[in-house]
């Protein structure tokens, strides 16, 4: 199972964290520090796995962003690498050529998408389309809500004039 | 240009920020992004937290504003700060009617709260309601929260709704409901076990994603118990077959590979089902073969499936043809340029050698390349593999590598791990005691404080016992080489406490034994140790005791002991120490110096730490005393059960019963002593020793120590029992294989020497049966490894030969590995030089001869420990002149070594096996002593 997902930039700035196993705030900070310290200096040709306290962390770098997932020691590292890639592809499809800034300013959306890709530390859906569909459905509801709000505020504005 | 693009994007973002982020929030994110230093970032965040704390608490925050605040809290929390003041607002937001706000509320709560948080209870009601919602998105949001937040106690509250959702019309909901059940199963299997049929049914769901979720759940259940699911094998195999044959919708393809994640999940389950089950495994061979041939090794995901297939093949009942195929695949992985593939190859090889140890042979060089790779992860994985393939023929090379690696790392977690592995391998396969001691020293040096104290005790015991007693010279050489190496080690600037304790003990016991070092020199060293570690009372205790021993040995040998001023000031300092223990040790040293030489020689004989001590548990020597007491009118002794039935005294420890009488007032006064804890105060065994001595003595020291004696006897008796318990424990933790093996292998080297000289090897061979079979295997392999030699660089050849070939590691390793093995040959007994002279083949032959004879002996050796203790003819081990294993001298050692941290008023330090000393307690009036009780 996946214990946590971690995104950080080349400078070690955290972009997203999602914990599927219970970790206290202190442990989280420590894990982030240890992992970013361990992963960032690794060269490009080395393998994409590091040991971390008896677990394994699989990471992959996309532009300036590192995607990390922590898995059990018996899990399949290559599979996890593909799960990361799968997530990135969905992000890419959603944001349209995703870049770090998209994730910086819309991290909550990245979370929503992650919730559709992983649940309870397991990959839940291997079809990109259906993820896109659920997220789009959510967004359209939001848009509807927004319009409603907008029209409400219009009405209010008119009433108060 | 790049910057322009960024600005453009930001503008575009802020215009479409509709999702609710205000300018304020964007500014915050940007400010953090531009922060030059960590401190600046902290400052910004802390300011924002203060702002949020104020704003979020205001009454009537508009809902949209609140949503933004919550997202900001998520952000703050993500950056590692505490936002707990806002948790309640996130929980409140989940009640909101608007999906957007609800979703945000759920997101925030799942990120903020762990399942044991007290706010969870507030959210249950909302979740229950949302699970019944018509809107499938609301259901999905609630299910996501369920997977994260519901704990064991709250499962029943939502379980019925989730079961209903299993038949929801939307597959996304069904899928999440199954996952929620899986999560519940992980939390508490018993609560959902009645739903297993439903979950199995979900395997046939028309949507593959639901099936995939059911596989997750089944995987967990089968991991717990595979038997009830064996009948699923057929359907799982047919699902896998369909997936492999590309019958699932194209939608589930990933890089043109059909549903790879489902394949991998299925392979994992099949591995569990087929493990050790021939019949079940046979059903799988077909589809596994199909995957192996169809697999696409050019993509990463293809390799992931192939790797998973190899690990399934190595887990189920073996099929030679498929394993052959798997081995070829592994070879491909290993040869790949890609580090990830290499890593997976090493891992796969580690799985395959469990079935077929030979298959590592073909990949020697690939493995060695990985071992020398700059990539740390790969190196660790390879060490892992080496650990799995260690045997007695290559242990020195592998341990050498592991120590070499341990030296370079600082990660405490991994260091603990690797040091325990080294210790395990060294104990199991050590080729000689020398090597073992050297190895242990290195482990202590590099991972000192991470090593359990027991290991140190085992080491001291080994030095004290030597090779098992039949070769006194070799033992002495072992000891003097240990002394030499420790004197050398002492030069290092920073040593862990455990190692220092070992050093002090060994120097005290054997420092002057071979006469090459003067007592003054050793004492000086010991004083240095004590002074260099002012804060470490344990080390100081060891040091002063060691000094006491050396002085005693000197006096015993009739030489004059003149203490240096340095030493005197140490004694001075310790005798005013805050630790009563150190104080006592110092006083004892002083008292000892005042005795005449003969007494000292009896009190502390040389090298007697292994002497046998008989314990008379029935305390027969007190009979006369008891009798006279009874005659004088004392009450007779009652056993505990009798006492309890009379007085109902429950506080009395059972072990007190032997000599405590019914003097009820005394009972509460003495606490039941703790069982000896190896790391801290196990001075109890000493007490036992002293107590034993008490019997066998003449009383000449009584007067001297009378003043010290206090309430000893009670505790002594308890300890007699504690110590006897401990005796078993020690025997066991030292472990049979090692215990036999270490002496055995050194014997066998001697044995080889002898057989070269024409003697019969049979009586000496003591190798374990396992070892012997390994050796013959090794022998056969020796030929192959030789053949391969010419093409490759010499260093690698050597390494490969010593790792894999194994027949001539001795002669090679002594030239190659610098520290440890070299010393073995240097200082081992002259007869054991034979293998070095007799070339490889010869020694190999001898080994095999050796091993054939050893088998029947091996059977004998598997006697249970307890029996070993009882039988006198301990298979060569016991007939040496120093104590055999039966006596468990180690407990005595411990007594000597340990510094009691408790301030018990006994005298742990005084001496070794001295017959005389202890009778003093017999008659000294002390509140708890039996005499008083008897009379009273």
């Amino acid at each position: 199972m996946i214990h946590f997902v971690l995104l950080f930039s080349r400078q070690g700035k955290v972009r997203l964290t999602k914990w599927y196993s219970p970790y206290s705030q202190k442990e989280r900070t420590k894990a982030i520090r240890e992992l970013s310290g361990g992963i960032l200096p690794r060269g490009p040709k080395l393998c994409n796995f590091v040991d971390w306290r008896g677990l394994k962390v699989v990471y992959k770098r996309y532009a300036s962003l590192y995607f990390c997932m922590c898995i059990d020691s018996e899990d399949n590292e290559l599979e996890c690498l593909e799960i990361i890639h799968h997530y990135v592809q969905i992000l890419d499809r959603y944001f349209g050529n995703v870049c770090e800034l998209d994730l910086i300013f819309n991290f909550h959306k990245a979370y929503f998408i992650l919730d559709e890709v992983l649940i309870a530390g397991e990959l839940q859906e291997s079809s990109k389309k259906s993820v896109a569909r659920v997220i789009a459905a959510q967004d359209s509801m939001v848009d509807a809500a927004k319009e409603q709000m907008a029209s409400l505020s219009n009405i209010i504005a008119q009433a108060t004039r | 240009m790049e910057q322009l693009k960024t600005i453009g994007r930001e503008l575009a973002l802020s215009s479409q920020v509709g999702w609710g982020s205000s300018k304020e929030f964007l500014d915050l994110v940007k400010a953090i992004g531009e922060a030059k230093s960590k401190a600046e970032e902290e400052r910004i965040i802390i300011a924002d937290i203060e702002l949020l704390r104020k704003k979020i608490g205001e009454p009537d925050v508009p809902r949209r504003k609140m949503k933004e605040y919550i997202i900001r809290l998520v952000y703050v929390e993500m950056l590692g700060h505490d936002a707990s003041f806002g948790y309640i607002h996130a929980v409140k937001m989940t009640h909101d009617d608007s999906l957007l706000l609800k979703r945000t509320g759920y997101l925030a709560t799942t990120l903020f709260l762990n399942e044991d948080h007290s706010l969870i209870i507030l959210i249950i009601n909302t979740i229950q309601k949302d699970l019944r919602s018509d809107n499938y998105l609301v259901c999905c949001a609630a299910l996501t929260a369920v997977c994260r937040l519901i704990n064991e106690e709250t499962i029943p509250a939502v379980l019925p709704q989730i079961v209903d959702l299993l038949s929801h019309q939307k597959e996304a909901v069904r899928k999440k409901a199954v996952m929620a059940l899986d999560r519940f199963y992980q939390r508490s299997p018993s609560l959902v076990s009645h739903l297993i049929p439903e979950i199995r049914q979900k395997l046939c769901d028309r949507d593959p994603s639901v099936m995939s979720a059911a596989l997750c759940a089944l995987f967990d259940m089968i991991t717990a118990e595979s038997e009830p699911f064996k009948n699923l094998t057929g359907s799982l195999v047919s699902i896998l077959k369909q997936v492999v044959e590309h019958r699932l919708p194209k939608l589930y393809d990933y890089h043109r590979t059909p549903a790879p994640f489902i394949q991998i999940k299925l392979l994992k389950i099949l591995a569990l089902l087929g493990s050790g089950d021939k019949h079940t495994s046979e059903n799988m061979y077909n589809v596994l073969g199909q995957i192996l041939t169809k697999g696409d090794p050019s993509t990463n995901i293809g390799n992931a499936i192939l790797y998973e297939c190899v690990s399934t093949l190595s887990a189920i009942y073996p099929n030679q043809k498929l394993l052959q195929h798997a081995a070829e695949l592994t070879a491909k992985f290993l040869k790949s340029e890609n580090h990830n593939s290499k890593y997976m190859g090493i891992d796969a090889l580690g799985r395959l050698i469990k079935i077929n140890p030979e298959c590592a042979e073909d990949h020697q060089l690939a493995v060695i390349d990985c071992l020398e790779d700059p990539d740390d992860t790969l190196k660790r994985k390879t060490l892992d593999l080496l650990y799995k393939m260690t045997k007695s023929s290559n242990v020195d090379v592998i341990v050498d590598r592991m120590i070499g690696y341990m030296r370079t790392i600082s990660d405490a977690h991994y260091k603990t791990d690797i040091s325990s592995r080294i210790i395990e391998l060294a104990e199991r396969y050590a080729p000689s005691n020398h090597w073992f001691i050297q190895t242990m020293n290195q482990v202590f040096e590099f991972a000192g404080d991470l090593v359990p104290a027991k290991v140190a005790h085992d080491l001291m015991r080994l030095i004290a016992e030597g090779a098992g007693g039949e070769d006194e010279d070799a033992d002495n050489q072992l000891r003097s080489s240990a002394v030499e190496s420790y004197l050398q080690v002492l030069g290092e600037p920073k040593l862990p406490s455990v190692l220092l304790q070992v050093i002090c003990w060994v120097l005290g016991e054997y420092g002057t034994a071979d006469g090459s070092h003067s007592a003054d020199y050793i004492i000086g060293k010991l004083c240095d140790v004590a002074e260099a570690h002012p804060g470490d009372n344990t080390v100081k205790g060891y040091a002063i005791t060691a000094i006491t021993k050396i002085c005693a040995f000197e006096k015993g040998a009739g030489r004059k002991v003149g203490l240096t001023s340095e030493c005197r000031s140490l004694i001075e300092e310790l005798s005013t120490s805050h630790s009563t223990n150190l104080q006592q040790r110092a006083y004892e040293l002083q008292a000892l110096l005042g005795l005449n030489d003969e007494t000292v020689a009896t009190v502390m004989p040389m090298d007697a730490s292994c002497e046998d001590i008989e314990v008379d548990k029935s305390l027969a020597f007190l009979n006369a005393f008891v009798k006279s007491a009874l005659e004088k009118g004392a009450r007779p002794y009652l056993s505990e059960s009798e006492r309890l039935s009379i007085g109902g005294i429950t506080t009395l420890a059972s072990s007190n019963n032997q000599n405590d009488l019914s003097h009820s007032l005394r009972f509460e006064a003495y606490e039941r002593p703790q069982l000896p804890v190896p790391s801290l105060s196990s001075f109890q065994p000493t007490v036992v020793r002293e107590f034993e001595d008490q019997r066998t003595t003449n009383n000449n020291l009584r007067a001297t120590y009378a003043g010290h004696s206090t309430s000893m006897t009670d505790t002594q008796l308890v300890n007699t029992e504690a110590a006897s318990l401990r005796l078993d424990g020690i025997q066991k933790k030292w472990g049979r294989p090692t215990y036999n093996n270490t002496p055995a292998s050194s014997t066998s080297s001697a044995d080889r020497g002898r057989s070269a000289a024409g003697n019969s090897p049979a009586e000496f061979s003591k190798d374990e049966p396992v070892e012997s079979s390994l050796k013959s295997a090794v022998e056969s392999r020796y030929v192959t490894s030789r053949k391969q030699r010419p093409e490759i660089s010499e260093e690698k050849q050597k390494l490969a030969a010593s790792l894999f070939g194994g027949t001539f590691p001795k002669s090679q390793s002594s030239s190659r590995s610098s520290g440890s093995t070299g010393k073995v040959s240097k200082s081992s007994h002259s007869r054991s030089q034979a293998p070095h002279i007799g070339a490889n083949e010869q020694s190999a032959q001898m080994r095999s001869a050796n091993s054939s004879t050893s088998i029947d002996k091996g059977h004998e050796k598997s006697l249970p420990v307890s029996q070993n203790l009882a039988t006198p003819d301990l298979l060569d081990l016991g007939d040496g002149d120093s104590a055999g294993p039966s006596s468990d001298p180690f407990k005595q050692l411990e007594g000597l070594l340990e510094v009691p941290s408790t301030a018990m008023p006994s005298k742990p330090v005084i001496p070794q096996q001295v017959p005389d000393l202890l009778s003093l307690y017999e008659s000294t009036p002390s509140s708890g002593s039996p005499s008083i009780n008897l009379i009273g």
Side-chain angles (χ1 to χ4, degrees), chain A residues 15 19-20 42 45 47-49 53 76-78 82 102 104-105 116 122 124-125 138 149, chain B residues 9 26 29 64 78 103 148 175-176 183 252 254 265 300 304 308 339-340 343 375 377:
Chain A
R15 296 302 181 209
W19 309 85
Y20 294 101
R42 286 174 68 85
K45 279 206 158 173
C47 59
N48 295 56
F49 323 125
R53 304 200 199 167
N76 186 333
E77 293 92 340
L78 290 179
E82 292 308 302
D102 293 321
I104 294 176
F105 289 102
E116 289 305 315
E122 299 283 350
Q124 59 168 323
E125 174 65 77
Q138 245 179 45
M149 288 288 250
Chain B
R9 200 173 254 280
L26 290 178
V29 174
R64 284 194 52 162
M78 188 171 87
R103 189 72 186 81
R148 179 82 182 93
K175 169 181 78 185
K176 286 186 185 177
R183 193 68 173 174
Y252 291 92
Y254 179 86
K265 200 101 236 173
N300 198 14
E308 199 61 55
H339 271 74
N340 289 346
Y343 178 93
D375 187 344
T377 314

Side-chain angles (χ1 to χ4, degrees), chain A residues 2 13 21-22 25 33 43-44 52 71 78 85 108 122 126 142:
Chain A
I2 296 167
K13 289 198 168 146
S21 298
Q25 189 70 37
R33 201 179 49 233
W52 181 74
I71 53 174
L78 290 179
H85 191 61
H108 50 292
E122 299 283 350
S126 37
V142 171

Side-chain angles (χ1 to χ4, degrees), chain B residues 497-725:
Chain B
S497 175
V498 193
L499 181 56
L500 284 168
Q501 291 163 26
V502 177
I503 292 177
C504 287
W505 186 80
V506 171
L507 289 184
E509 198 77 11
Y510 304 111
T512 53
D514 66 351
S516 59
H517 297 287
S518 72
D520 281 347
Y521 178 69
I522 301 283
I523 291 178
K525 284 281 179 195
L526 289 166
C527 290
D528 290 346
V529 171
E531 271 159 29
H533 301 85
D536 194 337
N537 278 352
T538 322
V539 169
K540 276 205 253 177
Y542 271 83
I544 186 83
T545 307
I547 295 173
T548 311
K549 278 192 260 180
I550 289 183
C551 292
F553 298 158
E554 285 297 295
K555 274 180 88 89
R559 286 186 286 269
K560 185 114 180 65
V561 183
L563 291 179
T564 56
S565 60
E566 185 191 23
C567 184
R568 288 199 182 283
S569 68
L570 177 73
I571 298 172
E572 199 90 329
E573 181 205 323
L574 292 187
S575 52
T576 55
S577 164
H578 284 304
S579 155
T580 40
N581 180 288
L582 289 178
Q583 241 185 62
Q584 187 177 344
R585 282 167 197 256
Y587 280 122
E588 277 162 1
L589 171 55
Q590 283 167 331
L592 194 98
L593 290 173
L595 295 175
N596 69 46
D597 293 356
E598 277 164 50
T599 319
V600 172
T602 356
V603 172
M604 286 196 154
M606 278 291 271
D607 186 23
S609 58
C610 294
E611 293 303 320
D612 263 342
I613 291 168
E614 280 170 38
V615 180
D616 182 358
K617 285 192 188 173
S618 67
L619 305 180
F621 62 95
L622 285 174
N623 282 350
F625 185 79
V626 172
K627 208 171 154 204
S628 70
L630 285 173
E631 276 162 7
K632 281 182 199 155
R635 278 195 283 165
Y637 170 73
L638 296 174
S639 75
E640 190 191 20
S641 51
E642 290 169 88
R643 273 198 314 272
L644 288 178
S645 59
I646 299 168
I649 302 143
T650 47
T651 51
L652 199 60
S654 60
S655 33
N656 275 352
N657 61 10
Q658 300 224 8
N659 66 343
D660 251 328
L661 279 202
S662 50
H663 195 298
S664 51
L665 276 181
R666 300 274 176 228
F667 291 146
E668 269 100 20
Y670 310 107
E671 279 184 359
R672 188 191 162 94
Q674 310 260 303
L675 283 182
V677 181
S679 60
L680 280 169
S681 73
S682 56
F683 86 124
Q684 283 97 331
T686 322
V687 174
V688 176
R689 196 193 55 240
E690 291 175 329
F691 176 63
E692 291 148 6
D693 294 338
Q694 205 168 350
R695 275 176 308 105
T696 38
T697 50
N698 55 51
N699 303 338
N700 48 2
L701 270 187
R702 188 186 299 178
T704 324
Y705 286 98
H708 287 284
S709 64
T710 31
S711 61
M712 278 293 296
T713 325
D714 269 11
T715 42
Q716 282 168 4
L717 286 168
V718 177
N719 289 323
T720 319
E721 182 151 325
S724 63
L725 285 173

Side-chain angles (χ1 to χ4, degrees), chain B residues 195-265:
Chain B
L195 293 170
I196 290 178
E198 272 86 347
I199 293 173
R200 288 172 72 137
Q201 212 189 347
K202 283 290 139 195
L203 270 185
C204 317
D205 196 280
R206 57 184 184 282
D207 191 274
S209 66
V210 183
M211 188 261 290
S212 151
L215 288 177
C216 282
L218 284 172
F219 177 77
D220 285 329
M221 291 165 185
I222 294 173
T223 311
E225 196 193 0
S226 64
E227 213 41 58
F229 297 93
K230 293 262 181 190
N231 54 5
L232 271 181
T233 315
S235 16
L236 293 173
V237 167
S238 81
I239 295 174
L240 184 55
K241 212 173 167 68
Q242 289 175 43
V243 177
V244 174
E245 286 166 1
H246 226 139
R247 304 237 202 103
L248 286 191
K250 280 264 185 288
L251 202 66
Y252 291 92
D253 280 11
Y254 179 86
H255 291 241
R256 283 195 292 285
T257 312
F261 303 109
I262 293 178
Q263 284 192 46
I264 289 170
K265 200 101 236 173

Side-chain angles (χ1 to χ4, degrees), chain B residues 444-459:
Chain B
F444 283 127
E445 207 176 324
F446 300 121
D449 301 325
L450 305 169
V451 180
K454 148 191 176 294
V455 178
H457 292 200
D458 287 349
L459 179 60

